[in-house]
Structures are given as structure tokens and as C-alpha cells.
Amino acid sequence: MSNRKTLAAVSVCAGIGLHSGERVRMVLKPAAPGSGIHFVRSDLTGDNRIAAHVDNVSTVRLGTTIANEAGASVATVEHLMSAFAGLGVDDAIIEIDGPETPAMDGSAAPFVELIRQAGLKETAAPLRVIRILKPVSIEMQGRTATFLPSIKPAIDVEISFPHPTVGRQRYAFDVSDRIFADDVAAARTFGFRKDVEAMHAAGLALGGSMDNAVVIDDSGIANPEGLRFADEFARHKALDALGDLSLAGAPIFGRYFAHQPGHALNVASVRALLADKSAWKMVSYADVDARPEVASLEG
């Protein structure tokens, strides 16, 4: 597994955007070794190609949007990016004929199935990873995040909401295709019914429903089927974090611990990490045994 991977075939899906409410068709395609992950807005002419990289993040309000200098953008990329990162897809082209990825069921599980349908192909290009050398921390309005050296990529999140249905939850996982597919991918996005009117007024969540989100109201979980996991809220925050962190452009060999994470905190953390050249080193996956000792963080 020391080389880069791409898709072995094409895979197609369609659905509506969570925030835009617009119907969109998305095609996942293989890409050249070393090219990374790019979105292509097939409904636009001119410069319609957008690299999935933190430098291109334009908006982080209730989702992560990337855009190029010409103004072409794709919103809510985090669930698909999480699926790519969780299954180890390094190079891919995503052709999409609208402004937002399809919400599907509000989780990354449908994208995992799309990737599995296409299959994975290991290429001759060596995989390089970002090895964390020392802790990097940031704080944003009481929310905190830290990257720590680790022998493997790991996500550790803690959330706290005043609503008793959510309360305080913590979820951590080592990033691997099996763990991601079995324990993380199916966790759905969630929201509070009391916030829907304000979100609609702001042009958000126009495609949201209990088909693609967990809805919480005064009585608890409004969805008839209930939760998929007792800690589904924390698992989804971990899913989002993995997708946002993948915008670093390479797997991060470190432990990401975040208290009250959101897209703004995740993206700011990646930017802070990349800006501190003394905190990380790009190394070949084949040489990753030369990495530092594991660091632990209690809390």
C-alpha cells in the first residue's frame, strides 16, 4: 500500500444538494498518478476545474466549499472527500453538473459504495504523506484543535451541545479503510428543527430533510428510524474532520484532537499546520517507519 491509488473504473450517482436543493449528477473517474483530486464543473465553460486543496477553500459555513480563481465552485465536498481519505483514494476526477455535491443520505456511506463499485487501482507513483513532527494547536472562540505526532493517521473529536439528545460525546478512530467503512461512514449529518427557518432564510438547507439528515426537535430524534449509532453525532463530526483534513493534499500521519470541531476549525487547523514548516515533513510512505514516537492527549 506504499503507492498512490486511483479508481479502477467510472462510478456515477445523482441526488440533490443539501443546501442548494438543486439536483446534480456526479461522475467519479480515475485520474493520472500524482495528480490529486480535482472537481470539474461540467455545466460551466472556461476554467471549470477546482483542485481539492485547502488553498481553494472559499466558504466553511455549514459545509466546506472550494473554488478556483475563475469563480467556479463546489459546495459541501467534505463527505465525498472523507470517503476518498477513508478508503485511501489519492487521485480522482469528479465531474459534477451543479454547484454542490449530492447529499445522498447525509453520510459518506453511499460514496463508499460508489468507490467500491468502481474499485481501486494501485499505481506506480509512490505515496507521500505529511508526518507531524511536533504539536500544532489553534483556538477559535472557545473551540480548540491540536495535531500531535502519531504512528498513524487518527481522528479524535469531542462535542458538547446543550440539547439532552446530544449532550457530550467523544469519538476517536485510527484511519483505515475497514474502520472507516464499518464504523464512521454511515454517520449522518444532523441539525435542529428550531434552526431550519433561519437556515432557509439564509439560503441554506434548502434540500435538507429526514432523508438526508438527523433532525433533532424538542422531543428528541424526529427521524422514525432513530439513530444508526448511539454516538452518531460525534462520529459524523469525526467524518467531517477527516474530509476537511484531506484538503491538506496528502494523508496526515498524526493525531487530530478537536474540541467542538466544525468546518471553520478543521480548515483553520490545516492551514496553521501547513504554515508551520517546522511542525511537519513530507516523507514517502515507504519511509514512514522513521516517524516520531506516539504522543498522547488526555481529555
Side-chain angles (χ1 to χ4, degrees), residues 153-203:
I155 304 289
D156 187 345
V157 302
E158 181 181 58
I159 62 172
S160 180
F161 285 82
H163 197 292
T165 300
V166 183
R168 182 175 179 178
Q169 297 184 2
R170 184 172 180 178
Y171 185 75
F173 74 104
D174 294 337
V175 181
S176 74
D177 53 358
R178 182 191 62 80
I179 292 174
F180 180 80
D182 291 349
D183 301 333
V184 181
R188 295 162 293 174
T189 193
F190 61 95
F192 297 88
R193 192 186 295 277
K194 65 180 179 61
D195 298 329
V196 169
E197 185 175 336
M199 287 192 289
H200 284 176

Side-chain angles (χ1 to χ4, degrees), residues 54-80:
V54 68
D55 289 345
N56 290 331
V57 173
S58 60
T59 306
V60 288
R61 186 180 182 188
L62 298 181
T64 301
T65 299
I66 57 173
N68 65 17
E69 292 183 354
S73 66
V74 179
T76 323
V77 300
E78 61 272 10
H79 299 170
L80 177 59

Side-chain angles (χ1 to χ4, degrees), residues 34-45:
S35 60
I37 294 173
H38 288 77
F39 288 78
V40 177
R41 282 286 301 273
S42 59
D43 59 320
L44 301 179
T45 58

Side-chain angles (χ1 to χ4, degrees), residues 2 67 119 210 221 279:
S2 61
M210 284 188 282
I221 304 299

Side-chain angles (χ1 to χ4, degrees), residues 16-184:
I16 63 169
L18 177 65
H19 294 300
S20 67
E22 294 186 22
R23 186 162 181 82
V24 65
R25 181 175 183 268
M26 192 166 71
V27 184
L28 311 185
K29 294 184 173 183
S35 60
I37 294 173
H38 288 77
F39 288 78
V40 177
R41 282 286 301 273
S42 59
D43 59 320
L44 301 179
T45 58
D47 185 0
N48 61 355
R49 189 180 182 94
I50 311 146
H53 192 276
V54 68
D55 289 345
N56 290 331
V57 173
S58 60
T59 306
V60 288
R61 186 180 182 188
L62 298 181
T64 301
T65 299
I66 57 173
N68 65 17
E69 292 183 354
S73 66
V74 179
T76 323
V77 300
E78 61 272 10
H79 299 170
L80 177 59
M81 291 302 298
S82 190
F84 282 147
L87 298 190
V89 178
D90 305 294
D91 303 306
I93 294 171
I94 305 99
E95 290 187 353
I96 184 167
D97 66 359
E100 184 180 19
T101 63
M104 310 305 281
D105 70 348
S107 79
F111 299 135
V112 167
E113 291 308 309
L114 281 172
I115 293 168
R116 285 176 165 172
Q117 288 172 19
L120 297 183
K121 177 183 177 182
E122 187 167 353
T123 70
L127 175 63
R128 293 176 65 78
V129 305
I130 296 169
R131 188 183 72 185
I132 304 296
L133 302 177
K134 68 177 187 181
V136 174
S137 298
I138 70 165
E139 186 272 336
M140 294 177 63
Q141 300 177 331
R143 301 167 183 253
T144 59
T146 300
F147 283 105
L148 293 167
S150 173
I151 60 172
K152 62 185 73 173
I155 304 289
D156 187 345
V157 302
E158 181 181 58
I159 62 172
S160 180
F161 285 82
H163 197 292
T165 300
V166 183
R168 182 175 179 178
Q169 297 184 2
R170 184 172 180 178
Y171 185 75
F173 74 104
D174 294 337
V175 181
S176 74
D177 53 358
R178 182 191 62 80
I179 292 174
F180 180 80
D182 291 349
D183 301 333
V184 181

Side-chain angles (χ1 to χ4, degrees), residues 238-251:
L239 183 160
D240 278 347
L242 179 61
D244 288 337
L245 265 56
S246 74
L247 296 173

